[in-house]
Amino acid sequence: MQPTPHMPVYLDNAATTPVDPAVAAVIAECLTAEGVFGNPASRTHVYGWDAEERVEQARSELADAIHCDPREIVWTSGATESDNLAIKGIALARRSAGRHIITSKVEHKAVIDSCRWLEQQGFEVTWLDPAGNGAVDPDAVAAALRPDTVLVSIMAVNNELGVCSDLEAIGALTRSAGVPLHVDAAQALGKMRLDLSVLPVDLMSFCAHKVYGPKGIGALFVRRRRDLVLEPQMHGGGHERGLRSGTLATQQIAGFGHACVLAANALTEECARLTELRARFLEAVFELPDVKLNGDVEHSVPGIVNLAFAGVDGEALMLALAADVACSSASACTTATIEPSHVLRALGLDDALAHASIRFSFGRFTTREEVDFAAARVVETVTRLRVASATPDLAAGR
Ligand SMILES: *Cc1c(COP(=O)(O)O)cnc(C)c1O
């Protein structure tokens, strides 16, 4: 994709990705009268049977990508719903066993607000501070575990920083304490290897629209274990083994399944390509003085970088870049408010530096030319804004 005069270079793939054309073709096959349009719950005719078969194929495709049993997948509307179902579902089912939950201050709002709601219902939540790079320290989880802890929820990859937490270590701790571990993996799917046959994780949230699938579809992995019981949050026809009622969206599910196949096939190559693009981008942007990387490149997925440009307002920078580069000043979900990012705050950044931070996220369709163009525009714009703020007369147009 060449930068066009009309559309800026898209470097916000952590907010959402375009649907892969091959995925769009699969979706189109499940819509019209000629396609697989039936209700997967219809048991009395071939339209229903075909739709059910399509849904089960997709369930196997996701299960294969993360190395679990297809029966461990529950379809939802997205990672927000998966987080809600996992956290409220486990907490409410276990409330007589204990009312303590452990999570971190850098989680996605879907996790944070689900835990906040549970606080109002009489649960106690330990909010862990991240380590300096934004990852959650397994030792902090160990120190917070209590006999009445009923759930630990820690994200796999932080959506603002790209930083990964050590799920093996955290899972080993929760497993030996007998506490279920939920992981929000919305930013991990398709970006790193996820092997649930060895990862000691009990519940994992996913969505399709961060892996070149459609919006409005997600999944929750629920490990098949007799003691892992969830209180459903959606009541109705008893779909998805009673865990999530509602007619299954065949076209979204089929698209998600195909997106998983493509992501698994491309994983190694895509990681290498994105690592090169990131290095290129950082090399160009670090020509500027006073640029700080938030997070930790060594322990991050390659597609996400978060940079603080000291002395520049992030909003002003994004506005100045808007015609050329589409990026994000905080997680897209918080741009409705002008609070500085809760993640950057938890990292200890002051408000000024948090406001001067921007996330750039590269993806499958990002080209080298786009990265070079964007980096050049960032360098130029930051330099200009810094000169302007150092010379107020110029800034005011005098
Ligand atoms: C995008 C995202 C979500 C929300 O997913 P939706 O499918 O948009 O509801 C949750 N958690 C993380 C880490 C995300 O990046």
Side-chain angles (χ1 to χ4, degrees), residues 14 77-81 83 108 110 155 157 159 184 186-187 207 209-210:
S77 62
T80 297
E81 187 189 336
D83 288 344
H108 190 271
M155 73 202 318
V157 174
N159 48 300
D184 179 338
Q187 294 290 350
C207 66
H209 76 95
K210 313 265 172 86

Side-chain angles (χ1 to χ4, degrees), residues 18-30 54 61 211-214 251 254-263 265 364-365:
V19 171
D20 192 288
V23 170
V26 168
I27 293 171
E29 287 165 11
C30 302
R54 204 61 202 71
E61 288 167 339
V211 275
Y212 314 94
Q251 80 285 2
F256 191 5
H258 196 62
C260 290
V261 173
L262 296 181
N265 290 341
R364 181 174 296 166
F365 304 112

Side-chain angles (χ1 to χ4, degrees), residues 154-216:
I154 301 293
M155 73 202 318
V157 174
N158 185 276
N159 48 300
E160 292 190 35
L161 306 169
V163 169
C164 310
S165 285
D166 184 349
L167 299 180
E168 285 90 353
I170 294 170
L173 288 164
T174 54
R175 178 100 1 131
S176 71
V179 177
L181 173 62
H182 166 249
V183 171
D184 179 338
Q187 294 290 350
L189 187 65
K191 300 192 176 93
M192 60 185 275
R193 226 178 109 72
L194 284 174
D195 185 349
L196 285 163
S197 72
V198 295
L199 268 183
V201 171
D202 304 299
L203 303 122
M204 201 174 247
S205 300
F206 302 102
C207 66
H209 76 95
K210 313 265 172 86
V211 275
Y212 314 94
K215 293 166 188 59

Side-chain angles (χ1 to χ4, degrees), residues 11-12 14 158-163 274-275 277-279 281-282 285-286 292-297 300-309 327-328 357-362 371:
L11 296 187
D12 204 11
N158 185 276
N159 48 300
E160 292 190 35
L161 306 169
V163 169
L274 292 176
T275 301
L277 290 185
R278 175 180 64 185
F281 184 76
L282 288 179
V285 170
F286 276 124
K292 180 182 168 297
L293 187 123
N294 299 317
D296 173 359
V297 169
S300 286
V301 293
I304 303 176
V305 289
N306 192 313
L307 298 171
F309 300 94
C327 46
S328 163
S357 295
I358 294 195
R359 176 186 71 187
F360 301 92
S361 45
F362 316 110
V371 165

